Amino acid sequence: MGSDAPPPAAASRWQKPIWYGLCLAALGGTAFWAQHVVADLTTDEQRAMVPVSTVWGMNACFLVGAVGLLCALGALRQRLARRHLWAAGGLAVLGYLACGIAPKTNRIFYDEHIYMQIGQTLAHTGRAEYSTYAKAEYGEFTTINAWVNKQPNGQPYLLSWVYRLAGASEDVSFTAERVAVGITAALFFLALVLLPVPLPAGTALAVPLCYLFTPLVLWWGHTVAVEPTAVLTTIAAIFAASLHARARHPETGEGSLATGTLLAATAAFAAYFRPESLLVFPVVASLLWAVDRRFLEDRVTWAAFGLALALLTPNLLHLWSVRTEDWGAADGHRFGADFLARNLASNVGYFVQQKWFPLAGTLLALGGAGWLARHRRWFGVTALGWFLPSWGIFLL
């Protein structure tokens, strides 16, 4: 588990002030932009900014995350053995191959094509918008008419980079989704290896294997739906949180600047994939608190949260600009307690009907909840804090 790794080297006297200053400047700059530029615009004008502002936000997440990862490589080398990397690589390959069991098709027909088309437009024009009328001739792409999709732009953003490298096609899109499922399993494994808490033997390997062989995961892993990549980015944030918790100073509890940077970028980027992906923030916060309550007083972690909020602001603008959308509800009634009974019967049945989720998985989950309640109560709170809101929001 790497528990015998040496304590992290303290940041030099000048590194911390510069890092705090950059985090405060990023947060202050986005706050000024939101208050003095965005707030004075109409809803339509705000929405017109989304195709550019969200791309800049995700580009910033990618750049900050890359810097954080490079700076955190030393901490990773100290805490991950070669066998862990081989196991993670094996899980990634297994995840990719396992998705091939399911038929390759679009299961949310129009939505998946919207994601692919936005990715195509973004790859050619740099704007995250859906081209309802465009020309693609002689290697050039020209948008004639376009509109802003109400869904966050994380999935099209990833697809746009794949299209830049391999060309825009459905086959490339399906392959990218399978790769995402494999990487998710690998990061899930590494996150549990890094978690600075003793777990039952084999847990780090068993959890991603159970994830991979859940029928619904493979079912959606051979589509171009947003859900597999939303899970990937959430797990990436949990991986970064585990590393941040592991790399903290053992005496003071202070977090590492490098891992804090990586955590800010991954958490912010995860929120660009689905509206409920914002729940990644309380999940990460509760995980850090369960590991070491001194994180509540850690200035590095609070500065990382401020940086994440700055990186997230363009996505918040996107969600705010589409707040009047009906999201498919013809009568405009998007949430309500009157949906609860019917949805509860359907969604609870998912865990016991053995169609899309194995009953063994349900029994393992209940057993794990019992073990957490007895041995790691606050980690149980973290798990429930992830499951109940992200699952329960759809009941309403």
Side-chain angles (χ1 to χ4, degrees), residues 87-97 99 158 162 175-191 208 211-212 228-229 231-233 235-236 239:
L91 285 167
V93 173
L94 178 61
Y96 174 83
L97 296 175
C99 288
L158 288 184
V162 175
T175 300
E177 197 90 334
R178 293 174 63 180
V179 170
V181 173
I183 296 175
T184 301
L187 287 177
F188 217 157
F189 169 75
L190 294 177
Y211 167 77
L212 283 181
T229 51
V231 176
L232 165 61
T233 50
I235 295 299
F239 162 80

Side-chain angles (χ1 to χ4, degrees), residues 321-374:
S321 71
V322 298
R323 66 190 183 278
T324 57
E325 289 282 332
D326 59 24
W327 291 80
D331 59 356
H333 189 39
R334 294 168 291 184
F335 289 90
D338 48 324
F339 302 134
L340 186 62
R342 185 173 60 182
N343 288 344
L344 190 63
S346 171
N347 290 14
V348 170
Y350 165 79
F351 296 103
V352 296
Q353 291 170 349
Q354 298 199 78
K355 182 179 180 182
W356 297 114
F357 192 83
L359 186 59
T362 303
L363 297 176
L364 282 171
L366 293 174
W371 185 89
L372 286 169
R374 183 172 181 180

